[in-house]
Amino acid sequence: QVQLVESGGGLVQPGGSLRLSCAASGSITSINDMGWYRQAPGKERELVARITKGGSTNYADSVKGRFTISRDNAKNTVYLQMNSLKPEDTAVYYCKMVVVVGLGYQAQFWGQGTQVTVSS
């Protein structure tokens, strides 16, 4: 049906940068909201950033000024540019998209997750 594939995670030192990508494929009419979530071991999943179809953005307070979410509608792709990374950013990062299929049917899909580790 619809599949989201993530890439770009890895190991980085504090103060470093990473760029995550998430591309959707399948029977897609359009995509509304796109977002990034993260989950650290023993903690609940939390919203990191989201972006609407029109380009409006929201960020968690903990990442404001450091992370930037963007999207390429032609490629059905959402990105997360992460700068000035801190050890507390270490988590599995998941992308989510609200996808419209056919004539107005809407459903939520998740990526497989990608590990981000910030350590010296």
Side-chain angles (χ1 to χ4, degrees):
Q1 189 175 252
V2 176
Q3 183 170 286
L4 275 54
V5 179
E6 302 180 28
S7 62
L11 175 64
V12 66
Q13 292 183 319
S17 298
L18 285 173
R19 190 188 193 221
L20 306 183
S21 299
C22 176
S25 61
S27 301
I28 300 170
T29 297
S30 63
I31 304 175
N32 291 329
D33 285 7
M34 298 180 174
W36 288 95
Y37 295 72
R38 67 187 181 188
Q39 187 167 23
K43 296 186 177 181
E44 297 180 5
R45 183 176 297 184
E46 65 172 344
L47 175 67
V48 176
R50 67 183 182 92
I51 183 168
T52 69
K53 188 176 182 178
S56 297
T57 59
N58 295 98
Y59 298 92
D61 288 340
S62 59
V63 307
K64 286 181 180 177
R66 299 188 297 120
F67 291 10
T68 303
I69 188 171
S70 61
R71 63 191 285 168
D72 186 335
N73 291 328
K75 296 181 178 180
N76 291 331
T77 299
V78 62
Y79 305 93
L80 185 67
Q81 178 66 46
M82 304 184 293
N83 299 325
S84 302
L85 283 161
K86 304 175 180 179
E88 51 262 46
D89 295 318
T90 296
V92 177
Y93 284 70
Y94 300 89
C95 62
K96 187 189 78 174
M97 299 187 188
V98 179
V99 179
V100 178
V101 180
L103 298 178
Y105 176 75
Q106 186 172 275
Q108 177 178 290
F109 296 92
W110 290 87
Q112 81 280 10
T114 185
Q115 177 70 48
V116 172
T117 302
V118 184
S119 177
S120 59

